[in-house]
Amino acid sequence: MAWEAFSAVLHTVCVFMLTLQFSLVFSPVLQSVRAQQLLQGSCRFEQDTCGYNSDPEYLKWVLNKEGRYITADSAFGGAGQKAVLISPDLELLEWSCIRLVYQITGSGSLQMYVRPEGESFDYRLWSAQDPSDNWLIASVDLRNTTNRYKIIFVASPGQKPDQSVAIFEIHVVPGYCVECNFEEHHLCGYMNYWNPNVNWYVGGSTIRGGQSNLPDDHTMNNERGHYMYVDSVYAKHFQEVAQLTSPMTTTAISGCLSFYYQRDQAKGNVFSVFTRDRMGHYEEIWKPDIYAKFIWKLVKVDIKAPHPLAVVFEVAFNSAKGGYVAIDDISFSPEFCSTETEPFFDPSVANCDFEEDFCRYYQEQTEGSVWNRVSVKPNVYRVGDHTTGSGSFLLANTRLISRPGYVGRLYGPYLPGTLKYCLRFYYALHGFIKTDNTLAVYIYDENNVAQEKVWTVSESPTGSWIQVEISYQKPMPTKVVFVSICTHFWDCGLVALDDITVSLGDCRIYADGFPSPPGECDFEVDNCGYTQDEKDDSNWIRKRGQTPTSYTGPKGDHTTGVGYYMYIEASPMISGHNARLLSNKLRGVLHQQCLVFYYNMYGSGTGLLSIYLKKEGQRDEVLLWRRRGEQSISWLKGLVEYECDRNHQIVFEGVRGNSIRSDIAIDDVLFKKGPCKGNHF
């Protein structure tokens, strides 16, 4: 990574091309004609670190002797250590974009967080772990906020001495990351999908030859500016495609996308603009309706998406005489271009936890009330609701109706058509001899006609709340209908339904594309940084399914019913032995914090579950919450309020009771700012 070698590259590159690998190459030809406004937090590391400082508790970031980049190298400290770089206090009231130029050598990683003032957790914005021989660029959107904050970079250089993570530039600019006038050397992180014959190039300046029919750029309307273009001169096959793709947004954006374009030989090329989500699904949002030649034409198109996306400019050529397409000055506004564009529909009207009533769900009077809202007091025989363990849920069964069989339909509210929805709910089965048709989900149209059966129960463990996720999209207004059928009295059991939520977008995007919120852990992937206390008698165990000892512990986790949770196994312990699970270090704040979690204490010999506050620099711990003995076969919701103005940790301590039926479990831990809401203390 020697600066001399990097400088040599600067003087040998004469034509700038973006590649699929998102490599960043600098050229003196592409020096910015118009300096872009840089905001707080920007740094080129030419002489100093611009107020960025290394956290002294970790590996130190080192400024290169000749300037121009800062590095975290495993040779400077113990292998496997991480380095934390902290920005000065920032206060950006408008939406902005961080453009980061970085490099990872070896098996390292780099992560970017935002640290809001007065909060205990850092929010992850972006991460990367792919090694590269080149400098790479990342673009990260920063939402506007009235709170002060810091930007945090966490580098893990890897295990070997020759591995490092380096940052070359940090640019914070006003506006959205999708915006670009192509005057900067990094081209705002836009990349070309490599094709052997047709590709997007930088146009303008000295790249424009004397015989070229390519235009002046739009930004400055002269030969000194730059734009992106693709032409057909090397096209060899029918419908050869070139794609120019914006960086993927790190948050959902909706509003008006604007850009200028020129197009030559319209009959020889097909020009379209798409959006692409994290799963690779494309949606066409614009294509030309008229042919405009040799002039820059303004386009405005609305984007509505409930999830992060990339914008793709695609041109397909029919032959080598297909002409060219050029684009310039891409911008974005959070206001829609058209006053007729409808704002986002809020699908939460279809949410219901049944704690108070049926919300907007109903049954037809002619079909009878098969679904009933019930509440089960927590006990050792019956699983309570999913929401809190002691709340309300819906139950369909023949014991509450007079006839020997039933068909029970639960109708949801109508939702607009054309949108993609993610439906989530929890169900539980008890006592069914046959599970066929015990519960199914249908999509009905506005005429109350079933359009599609989108889900039905298959093999299912009994006695546990199981999560279901369904993505669907229909062109017409629809409603979700939950159907339970049992024709013979002796086959019928209990069907329970709870916590229905509906959101916009594909369920898989949210499952795969977003990190867990800070301070939240469902133990589905790992222990989330929770550690065992080395001074205790035993350990907490990450577990899936039922615990080994019968008549104790949960049958499944609280998150999905088939996932992971943490528990203490009483069998190898003796009465009074304890196991302590410690959270990450949390920063102190001057206001209340709310700890939300779920716990399971089922078993005739169940001991003690306690939560302690462990303050930095103090030996004694503060008891915040405690439960003793068997509580319920259900997962129960716990809420703990506390205040702490210094760095601290939260400790979950389980103590084994007087028999092996003393398993204790926790799941779905969440820290929230402010006081707790509810009465489950």
Side-chain angles (χ1 to χ4, degrees), residues 345 347-352 354 358-364 367 371 394 408-416 423 440-446 448 472 477-483 497 500-502:
F345 169 73
S348 65
V349 295
N351 293 357
C352 194
F354 304 106
F358 273 72
C359 306
R360 299 182 65 176
Y361 289 82
Y362 64 95
Q363 302 176 81
E364 297 287 0
E367 298 176 351
W371 291 95
L394 295 191
R409 295 183 179 89
L410 181 71
Y411 299 86
Y414 275 112
L415 303 177
L423 167 68
V441 178
Y442 290 80
I443 305 299
Y444 277 45
D445 65 15
E446 52 193 336
N448 227 26
Y472 71 94
T478 59
K479 58 183 174 183
V480 172
V481 181
F482 296 88
V483 181
L497 182 66
I500 302 171
T501 61
V502 180

Side-chain angles (χ1 to χ4, degrees), residues 72 116 171 196 224 244 273 296 313 334 370 412 422 472 508 516 524 556 571 618 654:
H171 282 187
R224 299 292 300 170
L244 182 68
V273 180
W296 287 105
F313 297 87
V370 174
C422 172
Y472 71 94
R508 293 171 294 176
S516 296
E524 294 302 301
S571 300
Q618 289 188 5

Side-chain angles (χ1 to χ4, degrees), residues 339 647 649:
T339 56
N647 292 347
Q649 291 176 284

